[in-house]
Amino acid sequence: MCIRDRMVTVGTTRFDEMINEIDRPEVYEMFKKYGYTKIFIQYGRGNPPKNFSRVEGLNVEIYDLKTTFSKDLNESDLIISHCGGGTIMEAVKAKRNMIAVVNDTLMDNHQMEMYEKMTAEHYIYGVKSPKELKTELELLVRKVQEVGVKPYPEPKKDLISQIIQELF
């Protein structure tokens, strides 16, 4: 069995509903079932998870915020995250599989726009609310392992200079 790492993150915000859906013994057992041996859980400004230490054979590291966030993200082959633009872009640029969770309690529900565009293009998988994790998480983990996500396109570095040259 290959060693797999997973990262769960809510960014710098508070998203206890997502953390609580992940922090269940049956979810940790499911992670083990799919070969995950290490999980980083960044709970941001919210409450820390409570059940992670009850699962044998799974190394779980929890923290609120830390400066090595990017290192943890790059060491993980699957990111489960809030649907924040910064975290999503960091994960897809690092070519990581991602399952994003919309925080539908935020102002104007702006994460839904990011969710709709990125899932429609198959750059990420996701759910529209943390409540959906209970029924959808295992299916999404299986999809990630069997299919993966579409690679995010590399930026066109000369695009602006090309546009300027065409104007003149």
Side-chain angles (χ1 to χ4, degrees), residues 14-114:
R14 179 182 194 117
F15 195 8
D16 290 340
E17 296 84 359
M18 184 185 107
I19 295 296
N20 291 340
E21 287 299 327
I22 297 290
D23 187 37
R24 296 181 296 124
E26 60 270 24
V27 172
Y28 294 122
E29 289 296 334
M30 184 267 301
F31 291 164
K32 282 177 39 180
K33 174 177 146 184
Y34 285 93
Y36 292 94
T37 57
K38 185 172 186 177
I39 301 174
F40 301 102
I41 301 178
Q42 186 230 1
Y43 57 90
R45 292 180 178 17
N47 295 314
K50 297 175 178 76
N51 295 312
F52 68 92
S53 62
R54 298 183 187 155
V55 180
E56 221 175 289
L58 196 59
N59 180 5
V60 181
E61 180 183 329
I62 67 166
Y63 56 90
D64 53 1
L65 304 167
K66 72 178 185 178
T67 57
T68 59
F69 172 83
S70 291
K71 178 181 178 288
D72 292 349
L73 184 135
N74 284 309
E75 288 179 4
S76 300
D77 63 338
L78 173 62
I79 314 300
I80 299 174
S81 174
H82 70 126
C83 205
T87 305
I88 288 177
M89 293 313 296
E90 195 168 345
V92 297
K93 285 180 182 177
K95 298 177 176 36
R96 296 296 176 254
N97 290 310
M98 174 173 255
I99 298 170
V101 181
V102 175
N103 185 345
D104 54 4
T105 65
L106 296 178
M107 172 180 59
D108 298 327
N109 199 7
H110 65 277
Q111 290 187 357
M112 187 61 75
E113 291 175 49
M114 177 69 88

Side-chain angles (χ1 to χ4, degrees), residues 131-145:
K131 293 175 187 135
E132 291 180 24
L133 285 172
K134 194 169 282 183
T135 58
E136 299 296 317
L137 184 59
E138 185 166 1
L139 171 69
L140 293 172
V141 168
R142 195 172 329 119
K143 273 185 165 179
V144 162
Q145 289 192 352

